[in-house]
Amino acid sequence: MLWLLFAVNALGTVYGYIWYWQQIEYTIDNHPLWRVIFVPDSPTASLFFTLSLLYLLFPVLNKQTNALIWIRPLIEALAVVTSLKYGIWAVTMIVAGAAQGDQLEWEHYMLIVSHLGMAIEGLLFVRFMVFGRLAAFIAFLWLLWNDSIDYTYGVFPWLPNVLEDDLNAVQTFTIGLSVFSLLMTWLFLRLRKV
């Protein structure tokens, strides 16, 4: 089951970077190169989750003698917090666009299902992960930094045209969703101990 989940997430990550490729190229052509890392939000979240599955698939990576043992909690925290946020964010933007007249295609429905899966799997796997509240807070800081770069420099994920005039509301929702993702992660960390 874990191998299937790993394969699905790995393929979804590749697909996500392909989905963002046009915006990545646009950002490279029109912005300083360092802003590119802030463009592909969902596939990067999926990448963190895919990497976190490696700790479950290969227990040898869990040895305390590993010099990079500190990185596991950070990867897992980023996997959960970002998967929850961007899973919900993408679904919300697709539905909000449709509510304002954006024409949905088959790909939109696939994205809704896959992004809901991202949000759910992140929370379901908290109980198998080793990260704590501090690592989750560091992941939250990454989200806020990403939000700041996205809306300060205009490298946020491209929105349906019908939502362009709602950019302030989208920005507020996005930042609020970062806070929500941290709080939900902390809640599930607390439930893990029960």
Side-chain angles (χ1 to χ4, degrees), residues 169-188:
V170 170
Q171 179 180 0
T172 301
F173 172 75
T174 302
I175 294 167
L177 194 53
S178 293
V179 174
F180 173 80
S181 298
L182 173 67
L183 295 176
M184 286 298 294
T185 301
W186 277 352
L187 173 63
F188 273 71

Side-chain angles (χ1 to χ4, degrees), residues 29-62:
D29 291 343
N30 296 284
H31 292 269
L33 190 58
W34 64 268
R35 292 183 192 159
V36 171
I37 63 169
F38 298 98
V39 172
D41 296 332
S42 292
T44 302
S46 177
L47 176 63
F48 287 133
F49 192 81
T50 303
L51 293 174
S52 72
L53 288 173
L54 291 176
Y55 289 105
L56 299 175
L57 288 166
F58 298 101
V60 71
L61 296 174
N62 299 328

Side-chain angles (χ1 to χ4, degrees), residues 102-153:
D102 191 37
Q103 190 69 30
L104 296 187
E105 300 173 8
W106 72 268
E107 211 166 34
H108 291 104
Y109 297 104
M110 181 272 298
L111 289 170
I112 288 171
V113 171
S114 63
H115 282 80
L116 281 176
M118 279 176 60
I120 292 167
E121 75 182 357
L123 292 177
L124 287 178
F125 273 78
V126 167
R127 62 190 170 133
F128 301 112
M129 297 180 177
V130 300
F131 76 93
R133 291 171 58 96
L134 178 60
F137 186 75
I138 292 169
F140 167 70
L141 293 178
W142 164 261
L143 287 180
L144 289 183
W145 187 30
N146 192 20
D147 294 344
S148 176
I149 298 298
D150 277 359
Y151 294 97
T152 300
Y153 298 110

Side-chain angles (χ1 to χ4, degrees), residues 56-123:
L56 299 175
L57 288 166
F58 298 101
V60 71
L61 296 174
N62 299 328
K63 291 188 175 180
Q64 294 294 326
T65 56
N66 186 339
L68 295 177
I69 196 67
W70 58 270
I71 202 164
R72 178 181 179 182
L74 188 55
I75 289 173
E76 290 180 345
L78 284 164
V80 172
V81 175
T82 61
S83 291
L84 180 60
K85 176 187 176 172
Y86 295 119
I88 294 171
W89 188 91
V91 171
T92 304
M93 292 307 115
I94 292 168
V95 171
Q100 293 192 32
D102 191 37
Q103 190 69 30
L104 296 187
E105 300 173 8
W106 72 268
E107 211 166 34
H108 291 104
Y109 297 104
M110 181 272 298
L111 289 170
I112 288 171
V113 171
S114 63
H115 282 80
L116 281 176
M118 279 176 60
I120 292 167
E121 75 182 357
L123 292 177

